[in-house]
Amino acid sequence: MPRPPIPHPELALVPRPSRLSPRPGRFRIDDTTRLRVAPGAEAAADLLRTYVAPATGLRLEHAEDGAFVLALDPALTGLGEEGYGLTTSSGGVLLRAARATGLLRGVQTVRQLLPYETLSVPSQGGVELPGVEITDVPAHPWRGMLLDVARHFQPVSYLRRFVDLLALHKLNVLQLHLSDDQGWRMPVAAYPRLTEIGSQRAQSMVGPAGSTHFDGRPHGGAYTRAELADLVAYAAARGVRVVPEISVPGHVRSALAAYPELGNHPDKRLEVWTHWGVCPNVLGVGDHVLDFFREVLDEVMDLFPSPYIHIGGDECPTEEWEASPAAIARASQEELSGPRALHGWCMAKMADHVVQAGRRPVAWAEDGTTLPPACTVMSWRTPQHAWAAARRGHDVIHADHRSTYFDYARGPGPLEPPAQPGHILDLRTVYGVDLMPPPDEPLLAGRVLGVQGQLWTEFVPTPEHIEYLTYPRLCALAERAWDSTDDWQDFRTRLDGHRARLTALGVPHDSLRDRTAHAPA
């Protein structure tokens, strides 16, 4: 049954709450407004002040008789970990949740209920919130977005903005792609050359993989531990978990440039890769290589408290192993079917190390290859691989490139900036991401953690380009991740209102039609 239309543009919330009912009256936030902050709600109150103070100039101090109430109530079991209830009327505001994270989600709804213009221009004399009653619970626990900072480095100041926009749309995971052939971005105290050498490349390819053109400009950058720790804390304050990704056993050319002994040709000096596409160089399979990356993962897990640690696993050519006497011997020693099976063996070694540390390994699934049983599977080629993994007992995260890869162009034509070739990913296609299992296997739905968008940055060097490609497509992804109801027209109606928020926040979100209308004749 179609949902009723949103009765007022200021209630055009994205993602749409599970239940929303307008109420009479409006609550005014002014210099008389006080917060009543119940025990356990302090973090949510701090976040609320972070958003309201710039919009109004008001501090919203605590008072026991405050009309704006934030409260935890563990008895609200139906709200789960992230659900919340929000009621606003002329007499007050009540935001309740069973868990602290639910209050953070409710704060983002309050943020969306603020007048659009105050997101960029402070209001003089206070603001009003519309009367509303909301009960809101997400459909999926993993609602993520990957940002590739290995191909093109981004400063941590921008990553904070990226996180804040994820939080606005109630996404709760930022997967940070920290290493690849073209750059290593995370410092590892035990192995300083990973960033001293691995974070710098001489130039970058211009055009898609296979191009013969390069820009001739060095590119580099690495984070400090303090910067990454600050980002983790900033994200946590907004209910966003930062999941680090360190890729093995492929996508490691930057590590091999820093430490050649990790490769299959330790006497061969390699540079950090300047090409796009799949690099033929992969890790060697000696014990010293395993020990090296165990130590890397230890430092990763020390810095990132996320229960999930992504260990890569995709696009691993096996030609070097098939030509390596050492790899052939290792495969025989481990009683494997041959050198190609070293991929699964290596992934199992890394996954076991993550499990022994009390964390959960995540790995890419790009074909029907069986991954270690402990791995949560992120399926990017086709949903069929996700369901195959679910049948084997894995938890799965949908990341189908045809509906979640935001480095594909938003539309056809010469007005689009450079993008990954091969596919057009428009807003409707993102909205159509399907998380439902095959009709005859409904129980597999219990294995679905959620969905994640990906932004690989071969063609995306700047924050402005990142946001152009991300929005408004992320709005559609957030909608389906939070609420599995399929109502395209309802979403489009609300998105039209939500665009005013994006404009106020300086987020590019124009449509192809808009840009065509303003293009020079």
Side-chain angles (χ1 to χ4, degrees), residues 433-444:
V433 63
D434 186 6
L435 306 186
M436 299 302 294
D440 58 341
E441 297 178 283
L443 294 181
L444 293 184

Side-chain angles (χ1 to χ4, degrees), residues 18 221 236 244 285 351 407 417 437 473 488 518:
S18 308
V285 292
D407 47 315
R473 294 187 291 187
W488 168 246
H518 294 93

Side-chain angles (χ1 to χ4, degrees), residues 21 37 39 47 53 62 72 76 126 181 219 261 276 286 295 403 430 432 458-459 461 474 506 511 515:
S21 300
V37 183
L47 184 62
H62 170 82
L72 279 181
L76 299 171
D181 299 308
H219 179 83
E261 62 270 24
W276 310 137
E295 195 160 1
S403 55
V430 177
E458 291 96 327
F459 303 91
L474 179 136
S511 67
R515 285 185 289 124

